[in-house]
Amino acid sequence: MRRLSKRKALSLVKELDAFPKVSDSYVETSASGGTVSLIAFSAMALLAVLEFFVYRDTWMKYEYEVDKDFSSKLKINIDITVAMKCQHVGADILDLAETMITSNGLQYEPVIFELTPQQRLWQRTLLLIQNRMREEHALQEVLYKTLLKGAPTALPPREVASVEPVNACRINGHVYVNKVAGNLHITVGKPIHHPQGHAHIAAFVSHDTYNFSHRIDHLSFGEEIPGIINPLDGTEKITFNNNQMFQYFITVVPTRLNTYKISADTHQFSVTERERVINHAAGSHGVSGIFVKYDTSSLMVTVSEQHMPLWQFLVRLCGIIGGIFSTTGMLHSLVGFCFDVVCCRFRLGAFRPREDAQLHNLMNNLNNHHTPLLPDNAPKE
């Protein structure tokens, strides 16, 4: 009974076989068919390898949603060097709600404004990357995927102690502000807060010492991520006018980054720069200094790293192999048909009449029209 059931199952499977079976004796091989087969197999192998590299690669997916977090604080990371002594310059933040954020988280460090050759090389490299990122926006995705492998973006320290006089002030640190629009001031005098507003004590600073040439080594919002380059990193502005005002208008976009290496909540931002000379007589009013005006966006961007699933890779691989096999077969048949038509038209190749065939035709003509053995005037018996 088991053998009968196995035979029935085997016969049922054979009846379901839909693939045609062609005997080897019915298959005719040719040099052209072998050449096309080699080309097809080479193309299959090459495209399969390239498809495997595509399968291993990842891409960044961007999703947008409304930012519903209004209660949390926004962290601002600052590292700016101003070409003035620390006792003559002060920094503070005033937000849209007229709330003054004290600069307790900021440190004032006397430094030398001029960079060493190694530091200047670092800055030039950073500016070159910035220019390439403005032209090729896809480089940002490369930074997202390789951020932990990236070099640190902080200005390298000086190799040796310098004997030059200290002529600048490095303002660095971080402060937490409300998630509303605000203004970071770096101007003459230390900031003070009073009920009527806020001010800077600049009366004891000589106007001749004003010099707001500055270098932004780092400015970011939110959590600091190693390897990420922000739009203002490496920016340097030099002025020879004591009444120069520098303004940076920044739009901050909350960003949630989810990759295979890191998951963090940070912020991207775009910036517009403006600078002008304060001249009250010409109608250009204002205060000399550096002003970073920022505003937060109501949208949040989620950047997640995506990978091609295995089933999609297998489907694409089957499509490559089947497509090349079918296409090369049709092209080979089409070229063979055209070649046969041309050869038949001009009697070339296999369609060219052979000499033995001509000799055979001549012998047939002789047999069909043979001459008599006796002449017509031969005497009859």
Side-chain angles (χ1 to χ4, degrees):
M1 293 297 293
R2 292 182 179 178
R3 291 181 178 179
L4 291 177
S5 60
K6 288 183 179 180
R7 290 179 180 177
K8 289 182 180 180
L10 184 59
S11 61
L12 180 61
V13 172
K14 288 182 178 180
E15 291 178 359
L16 293 176
D17 189 1
F19 298 97
K21 304 298 184 295
V22 181
S23 177
D24 295 339
S25 60
Y26 297 155
V27 179
E28 181 180 358
T29 59
S30 62
S32 61
T35 304
V36 173
S37 299
L38 290 177
I39 296 174
F41 292 149
S42 301
M44 290 179 191
L46 177 62
L47 293 180
V49 172
L50 295 178
E51 188 66 25
F52 177 73
F53 284 114
V54 173
Y55 168 71
R56 290 186 56 189
D57 194 14
T58 58
W59 66 90
M60 308 307 293
K61 181 181 179 181
Y62 294 84
E63 297 178 344
Y64 303 90
E65 59 180 325
V66 177
D67 185 16
K68 301 178 181 178
D69 185 10
F70 304 104
S71 58
S72 62
K73 296 291 185 177
L74 176 62
K75 180 182 178 183
I76 304 180
N77 308 291
I78 302 170
D79 190 353
I80 301 176
T81 302
V82 185
M84 292 180 64
K85 294 184 178 180
C86 291
Q87 61 266 27
H88 297 160
V89 68
D92 67 332
I93 298 177
L94 187 68
D95 61 19
L96 191 62
E98 299 297 329
T99 302
M100 179 182 175
I101 309 298
T102 59
S103 55
N104 295 333
L106 300 178
Q107 300 176 358
Y108 297 83
E109 178 185 354
V111 294
I112 301 174
F113 188 78
E114 293 297 329
L115 298 177
T116 63
Q118 180 184 1
Q119 293 175 330
R120 184 63 65 182
L121 178 61
W122 170 88
Q123 186 195 30
R124 291 175 180 175
T125 305
L126 187 59
L127 292 178
L128 179 61
I129 297 175
Q130 293 279 25
N131 294 331
R132 291 297 304 272
M133 288 182 62
R134 293 187 184 99
E135 298 174 359
E136 302 289 341
H137 299 286
L139 290 178
Q140 185 63 56
E141 298 185 2
V142 178
L143 293 177
Y144 281 150
K145 291 189 289 186
T146 60
L147 49 91
L148 294 183
K149 300 179 182 179
T153 57
L155 181 69
R158 291 180 175 268
E159 303 88 4
V160 293
S162 177
V163 295
E164 298 180 14
V166 176
N167 58 355
C169 182
R170 180 189 177 193
I171 304 173
N172 68 94
H174 61 271
V175 293
Y176 291 90
V177 300
N178 300 320
K179 294 184 68 174
V180 294
N183 193 350
L184 167 64
H185 305 86
I186 300 178
T187 186
V188 179
K190 297 300 179 182
I192 59 173
H193 182 63
H194 56 86
Q196 301 298 327
H198 101 291
H200 289 258
I201 305 177
F204 304 101
V205 182
S206 174
H207 187 270
D208 296 334
T209 62
Y210 287 15
N211 185 4
F212 287 100
S213 300
H214 63 280
R215 183 177 59 252
I216 303 177
D217 296 324
H218 180 77
L219 180 64
S220 64
F221 296 82
E223 183 179 350
E224 291 188 75
I225 301 178
I228 295 298
I229 299 177
N230 298 280
L232 287 177
D233 292 353
T235 301
E236 186 177 39
K237 300 290 184 180
I238 304 297
T239 180
F240 299 97
N241 195 306
N242 297 338
N243 296 324
Q244 192 78 13
M245 172 191 282
F246 297 94
Q247 293 176 308
Y248 299 93
F249 301 93
I250 293 177
T251 301
V252 183
V253 180
T255 304
R256 182 173 299 165
L257 184 62
N258 296 318
T259 66
Y260 292 107
K261 296 183 177 65
I262 194 173
S263 178
D265 291 332
T266 183
H267 292 74
Q268 303 178 84
F269 66 89
S270 60
V271 60
T272 302
E273 303 177 14
R274 182 190 179 190
E275 57 182 87
R276 60 188 176 92
V277 177
I278 303 301
N279 188 349
H280 298 286
S284 178
H285 303 290
V287 179
S288 303
I290 304 168
F291 301 91
V292 180
K293 299 182 179 182
Y294 62 89
D295 191 7
T296 57
S297 175
S298 60
L299 292 179
M300 182 176 65
V301 182
T302 301
V303 184
S304 56
E305 189 174 3
Q306 300 292 321
H307 187 275
M308 181 186 298
L310 179 60
W311 65 267
Q312 187 175 355
F313 167 70
L314 296 177
V315 170
R316 291 165 64 98
L317 193 62
C318 292
I320 290 173
I321 296 175
I324 293 178
F325 188 81
S326 303
T327 304
T328 53
M330 291 187 293
L331 290 177
H332 180 254
S333 301
L334 179 61
V335 172
F337 174 76
C338 296
F339 184 78
D340 292 341
V341 171
V342 173
C343 291
C344 180
R345 175 67 177 82
F346 295 98
R347 296 181 178 276
L348 301 175
F351 298 94
R352 186 176 183 179
R354 299 180 180 178
E355 295 181 357
D356 54 351
Q358 294 179 356
L359 181 60
H360 181 69
N361 293 335
L362 180 60
M363 292 299 297
N364 290 335
N365 292 334
L366 292 176
N367 291 332
N368 295 332
H369 303 85
H370 61 278
T371 57
L373 296 177
L374 296 177
D376 292 340
N377 56 0
K380 298 180 180 180
E381 295 181 357

